[in-house]
Amino acid sequence: DVLDPERLIQCPYNKHHRIRACRFPYHLVKCRKSYPEVAKELATCPFNARHLVPQADLSDHIMKCNDKGFIEQDIVNQSSGFQREQTNAVSTWQAPPCDEDWET
C-alpha cells in the first residue's frame, strides 16, 4: 500500500538502506550530508521532494510522475475560483431569538 507509513523505501543515496516511509524525509536529509558525491548526481522532482532521480532521467521522471496530477488539479481548482468561493463563503447562521434581558 502506497499510503502505509510502515512500508520500506530504498534510499537513493545508498541502495542498502531501506527506510520506513514515515521516516524517509528525515533519512534523506541525513544521507544527503553523508553522501555529497551521490547527491550532486541526483535531481529532485518538482512535484515531490522525496523523488530523487539521476539528473539525466529527470525529464523522463517528470513526464511519468504520479504526483504531477495533484499539482495540476490544484492549478485547475485555483484558476476556476474554487478556493476563492470557499474562502469568501458567508455564513447564513443566525442566533435564535432570546427572551432574556440581562439588564433587568
Side-chain angles (χ1 to χ4, degrees), residues 29-58:
V29 171
K30 184 181 120 188
C31 247
R32 177 183 298 259
K33 293 176 185 174
S34 299
Y35 297 94
E37 293 304 315
V38 178
K40 289 178 186 175
E41 298 173 10
L42 296 177
T44 304
C45 170
F47 306 114
N48 187 334
R50 296 178 184 188
H51 297 168
L52 296 168
V53 296
Q55 290 181 1
D57 298 339
L58 182 61

Side-chain angles (χ1 to χ4, degrees), residues 7 16 59 70 99:
R7 81 181 190 288
H16 299 290
S59 59
F70 296 120
D99 296 333

Side-chain angles (χ1 to χ4, degrees), residues 5-102:
E6 297 300 316
R7 81 181 190 288
L8 295 176
I9 302 174
Q10 185 177 20
C11 173
Y13 298 107
N14 183 329
K15 303 300 181 190
H16 299 290
H17 293 173
R18 295 186 43 85
I19 305 92
R20 291 179 304 153
C22 62
R23 298 289 309 156
F24 195 66
Y26 306 105
H27 181 84
L28 287 178
V29 171
K30 184 181 120 188
C31 247
R32 177 183 298 259
K33 293 176 185 174
S34 299
Y35 297 94
E37 293 304 315
V38 178
K40 289 178 186 175
E41 298 173 10
L42 296 177
T44 304
C45 170
F47 306 114
N48 187 334
R50 296 178 184 188
H51 297 168
L52 296 168
V53 296
Q55 290 181 1
D57 298 339
L58 182 61
S59 59
D60 186 48
H61 173 82
I62 289 172
M63 297 298 292
K64 298 176 182 176
C65 183
N66 293 333
D67 293 330
K68 179 170 61 171
F70 296 120
I71 302 296
E72 289 173 342
Q73 187 60 47
D74 283 347
I75 291 169
V76 169
N77 289 344
Q78 287 177 356
S79 65
S80 69
F82 175 75
Q83 290 180 339
R84 280 189 303 263
E85 290 172 14
Q86 286 185 334
T87 305
N88 295 335
V90 177
S91 174
T92 58
W93 183 84
Q94 292 182 344
C98 180
D99 296 333
E100 295 178 350
D101 184 0
W102 286 65

